[in-house]
Amino acid sequence: MNKKSRDRRLFCEFVVPPMLIWASVVVIPLIYGIYLTFSDWNGLSPDYNMVGLANYASLITDQSFLTSLGKTFIYVFFTVVFSNLIGIGLALLLTYGIKLQGLFRTCFFAANMIGGIVMGYIWNYIFSFALTKVGEATGIGLFETSWLTSPGTAMAALIVVTVWQLGGYLMVIYVAGLTSISKEMLEAAEIDGATGFQLLRFIKIPMIRSSITICTFMAISKAFMSFDVNLSLTAGGPFKSTELLAFKIYQTAFSNFEYGKGQAEAVVLFIIVAIISLVQVTVSRRKEVNA
């Protein structure tokens, strides 16, 4: 067998099967899902009609969709900001050389190992029973009633839980970035009289811009696609005050049996996330080059 035939055989054996699997579980469902956005399928009936762009047009005037979109942007903003601040803060603390820092890293990362549904139920109990007992015992008004019963505090609770889980995961990436910085560079700066804040501002932050890019991208993607915690912690309540867009899509498709419209909402969400992520990565990469 000549080299060309052998390369062709290896390609068919090792490349074609994964490509077929990827196409069958990603590409084909994606294309079929986009196709269904032009229909009025209810998700159950074998028959449906093609309605063109009617599903997309209806989203422009759908107040519940626009409200969920606005709440999602608020949720994403605070989640991305605070999860990254906590992640980089923990990373700085746990690369400083304190005792048992390896154990602390494991403990903070462990939150990410809990599934979203389970975590939502755990925190539901904490907000509804544990913290209210603390409020009763101490008289702290903030904890006397469950955060999940008020529209304003329910959104704050959802953000707190997501940041609590995501911060530990981002911490690991920031730790990897900080530990890759040359110790000789830091020592030279200290000899030249640089303070701790100056080391952070002029050396550490510029040197981990690639980590910041990755963490910001991951936080944006996870926050926009948040569903499991939203379902188990608040179920969109109270009064739909925490109904994020991913949960709204689920409700439209599987509760209201408007599968075509739900698919249209999912496509819009995908486009929004793709555009924001592309802009964020492009801007961040430019800063990395300048750094």
Side-chain angles (χ1 to χ4, degrees):
M1 181 182 296
N2 57 40
K3 185 178 184 301
K4 187 175 182 179
S5 299
R6 185 173 62 255
D7 291 344
R8 188 182 298 112
R9 179 176 64 82
L10 291 173
F11 178 85
C12 294
E13 290 178 352
F14 294 100
V15 178
V16 173
M19 289 179 62
L20 292 175
I21 295 173
W22 178 73
S24 63
V25 300
V26 177
V27 179
I28 295 175
L30 175 63
I31 295 173
Y32 185 61
I34 294 174
Y35 166 77
L36 290 175
T37 64
F38 303 106
S39 72
D40 62 354
W41 188 41
N42 61 12
L44 298 173
S45 174
D47 301 317
Y48 53 84
N49 301 311
M50 304 306 294
V51 295
L53 297 174
N55 287 325
Y56 292 100
S58 67
L59 299 182
I60 300 175
T61 56
D62 187 345
Q63 190 59 45
S64 63
F65 172 78
L66 297 177
T67 301
S68 293
L69 181 60
K71 294 181 184 301
T72 302
F73 274 112
I74 295 173
Y75 168 79
V76 169
F77 174 78
F78 286 105
T79 297
V80 171
V81 171
F82 286 116
S83 63
N84 276 276
L85 288 177
I86 289 177
I88 196 169
L90 290 174
L92 288 168
L93 178 64
L94 298 179
T95 53
Y96 193 72
I98 63 174
K99 293 182 179 180
L100 302 177
Q101 65 181 22
L103 176 62
F104 286 122
R105 291 177 188 176
T106 303
C107 292
F108 285 121
F109 179 76
N112 188 70
M113 304 300 291
I114 304 174
I117 294 292
V118 175
M119 185 178 66
Y121 285 124
I122 292 173
W123 276 92
N124 190 303
Y125 176 83
I126 292 173
F127 283 119
S128 299
F129 299 100
L131 290 181
T132 54
K133 292 296 182 181
V134 173
E136 292 175 5
T138 61
I140 300 176
L142 185 63
F143 299 133
E144 287 183 347
T145 58
S146 172
W147 284 21
L148 305 179
T149 59
S150 172
T153 54
M155 178 60 76
L158 188 60
I159 294 171
V160 166
V161 173
T162 307
V163 170
W164 176 81
Q165 182 188 40
L166 188 57
Y169 181 75
L170 300 183
M171 173 203 69
V172 175
I173 300 175
Y174 283 125
V175 165
L178 289 169
T179 53
S180 66
I181 299 175
S182 171
K183 293 182 179 180
E184 289 77 9
M185 182 187 301
L186 296 175
E187 291 173 357
E190 290 177 348
I191 292 172
D192 288 339
T195 63
F197 177 75
Q198 289 173 329
L199 288 175
L200 175 64
R201 179 181 178 185
F202 297 109
I203 297 180
K204 292 183 178 181
I205 295 298
M207 293 296 290
I208 63 168
R209 287 196 184 276
S210 59
S211 297
I212 295 174
T213 300
I214 295 171
C215 289
T216 305
F217 170 78
M218 297 184 69
I220 289 174
S221 301
K222 181 175 178 59
F224 267 112
M225 301 299 180
S226 180
F227 170 76
D228 46 6
V229 176
N230 194 188
L231 174 65
S232 58
L233 182 64
T234 65
F239 313 114
K240 296 187 176 182
S241 60
T242 59
E243 188 180 65
L244 302 180
L245 195 50
F247 187 75
K248 173 67 169 61
I249 293 169
Y250 169 82
Q251 292 289 88
T252 301
F254 299 106
S255 296
N256 301 337
F257 299 104
E258 297 177 284
Y259 199 88
K261 184 178 179 180
Q263 279 292 107
E265 293 175 349
V267 170
V268 171
L269 176 60
F270 171 78
I271 293 173
I272 291 173
V273 175
I275 293 174
I276 292 177
S277 299
L278 181 62
V279 171
Q280 177 262 317
V281 171
T282 301
V283 172
S284 299
R285 288 294 184 186
R286 289 177 181 173
K287 291 182 179 180
E288 286 179 33
V289 173
N290 292 335

